[in-house]
Amino acid sequence: MKILMFGRGVIATVYGWALERAGHDVEFYVRPGRAATYGDTTDLDLLDTRRRVWGQRVVQKWPVRYREELHSDHDFDLIVLSVPHHRLAEATAFLAPRVGQATVLVFGNIWTEPQAAVDALPVDQVAWGFPQAGGGFGEDGVLRGTLLPAVIFGTLGQPPTDRERAVRRVFRDAGFRLREQPDFRGWLWIHFVSNAGLHSQGLRLGSLAKLAGSTGAFREALLAGRELLPLLEARGLDLRRHRGGGLLLRTPTWLTAPALAWLTAHVAPIRVNFEAHSDPEAQEPREICRDTLAEARRLGVAVPRLEAAEPHFAREKTDRV
């Protein structure tokens, strides 16, 4: 299959590498001028846990191919769209006249109504998924991170289409386990507020990496996430349908916080993932917290812990969207 990864972020790079290793023809779309900046190779230092619980370390210079133009008559079969949620509207507006015959896999966080978030795209050419990988580019340009064995897929109340089933086969054949979420909208929103709880404390400390090993920080992050569950109910989400997804936030923190602290300090795939999120200037955590707080205020839901963290994420945007 011919696959275009939209952008050259962490998720696009990690999964682009995995899909090329599985025999697919992979290219990256980047903004004009970026290809020369990025160069012909990407330095990888990954823990790939698809076949080994503790992960297989991959250290290599991976040759990559970039393109800075995309026309509607392209021959890509699949476009993987993994961008921060606050850039999704810009990305879908760009892709809409250039989709061609490709399926677009929307592969990341969404906080609005999912279908409305991508309404610029042909509805019958969209598939929904969520990555289970993470990491970051260091100051030395090396991408350090972890690739977990599962990938999340879901639908918005309908059975998977032929296109969606084809996308699932691509990932399954690449060695990933598939986890299905029939109410993908609800799953995305629970994941988003869980992220907001974590990032509220990561921003307070300076970065998400500084949560690793800290029972106290995880306790506050979990409590911040728990305070956001009523916000989901105010949005009309039936949490009874998502008991598993909200379990971590509902479980007593005397049990979960020490467990998360230990896992992030001692289990290599999880530790590496957290350690890679060390950029104090990362914009996405701020956008997640800012948008969650704005929605809580709009609906009149009290979220005191997120409110208390606001000084750490309220500054103006600095990246170009």
Side-chain angles (χ1 to χ4, degrees):
M1 183 176 282
K2 190 168 184 180
I3 301 173
L4 180 68
M5 312 303 292
F6 190 86
R8 190 249 192 188
V10 171
I11 297 302
T13 303
V14 170
Y15 283 96
W17 170 81
L19 293 173
E20 186 179 88
R21 290 269 301 239
H24 298 286
D25 184 357
V26 174
E27 294 183 38
F28 291 79
Y29 171 79
V30 296
R31 288 189 175 115
R34 294 290 178 87
T37 301
Y38 294 145
D40 296 331
T41 62
T42 295
D43 290 323
L44 301 176
D45 187 351
L46 302 176
L47 273 181
D48 181 357
T49 67
R50 284 175 294 170
R51 295 174 180 84
R52 299 180 185 177
V53 173
W54 299 107
Q56 177 181 358
R57 190 178 181 193
V58 176
V59 179
Q60 70 172 90
K61 284 186 175 293
W62 176 41
V64 292
R65 289 180 295 152
Y66 298 113
R67 62 164 54 214
E68 297 179 345
E69 292 184 348
L70 184 65
H71 303 288
S72 60
D73 60 351
H74 63 76
D75 59 349
F76 289 103
D77 304 296
L78 174 63
I79 299 173
V80 179
L81 177 58
S82 183
V83 297
H85 79 283
H86 61 286
R87 290 182 169 177
L88 187 56
E90 175 192 15
T92 56
F94 174 85
L95 278 177
R98 300 172 173 85
V99 169
Q101 299 304 308
T103 299
V104 179
L105 172 62
V106 182
F107 206 47
N109 270 322
I110 296 177
W111 184 225
T112 57
E113 288 289 342
Q115 193 57 63
V118 298
D119 62 357
L121 300 176
V123 63
D124 60 341
Q125 290 180 234
V126 174
W128 302 94
F130 199 90
Q132 298 286 273
F137 287 94
E139 292 183 1
D140 56 1
V142 177
L143 172 53
R144 296 178 177 87
T146 299
L147 181 64
L148 296 178
V151 176
I152 309 295
F153 286 99
T155 58
L156 304 179
Q158 301 292 331
T161 64
D162 289 343
R163 285 179 178 268
E164 291 174 303
R165 285 191 287 268
V167 174
R168 285 158 169 76
R169 284 195 298 272
V170 167
F171 281 82
R172 184 175 56 245
D173 293 347
F176 293 98
R177 297 200 297 267
L178 310 186
R179 290 173 50 195
E180 291 286 341
Q181 295 292 337
D183 180 7
F184 197 53
R185 167 181 175 266
W187 186 91
L188 284 168
W189 287 0
I190 291 174
H191 185 273
F192 198 93
V193 300
S194 299
N195 274 189
L198 284 171
H199 287 311
S200 70
Q201 299 309 305
L203 290 167
R204 181 176 64 84
L205 295 174
S207 72
L208 196 63
K210 293 186 178 180
L211 265 72
S214 174
T215 297
F218 273 112
R219 178 182 181 277
E220 288 301 307
L222 290 166
L223 291 174
R226 184 181 299 176
E227 289 178 351
L228 292 168
L229 292 178
L231 173 58
L232 298 180
E233 292 179 312
R235 288 184 124 204
L237 187 64
D238 184 356
L239 292 176
R240 293 172 298 179
R241 297 183 60 191
H242 296 276
R243 288 190 174 92
L247 183 61
L248 184 64
L249 298 180
R250 294 183 181 277
T251 303
T253 57
W254 61 262
L255 177 64
T256 51
L260 289 172
W262 187 89
L263 288 169
T264 54
H266 296 97
V267 177
I270 301 174
R271 188 191 73 244
V272 168
N273 192 5
F274 265 79
E275 289 175 346
H277 288 84
S278 59
D279 181 6
E281 299 301 318
Q283 192 65 26
E284 187 175 9
R286 291 182 170 83
E287 298 291 348
I288 288 173
C289 291
R290 183 183 288 119
D291 288 350
T292 305
L293 181 57
E295 182 72 347
R297 286 172 171 163
R298 184 182 75 84
L299 294 174
V301 177
V303 289
R305 282 183 169 81
L306 191 57
E307 290 264 9
E310 186 178 12
H312 301 284
F313 60 77
R315 70 191 192 195
E316 292 298 316
K317 302 176 185 178
T318 58
D319 64 338
R320 183 165 68 89
V321 299

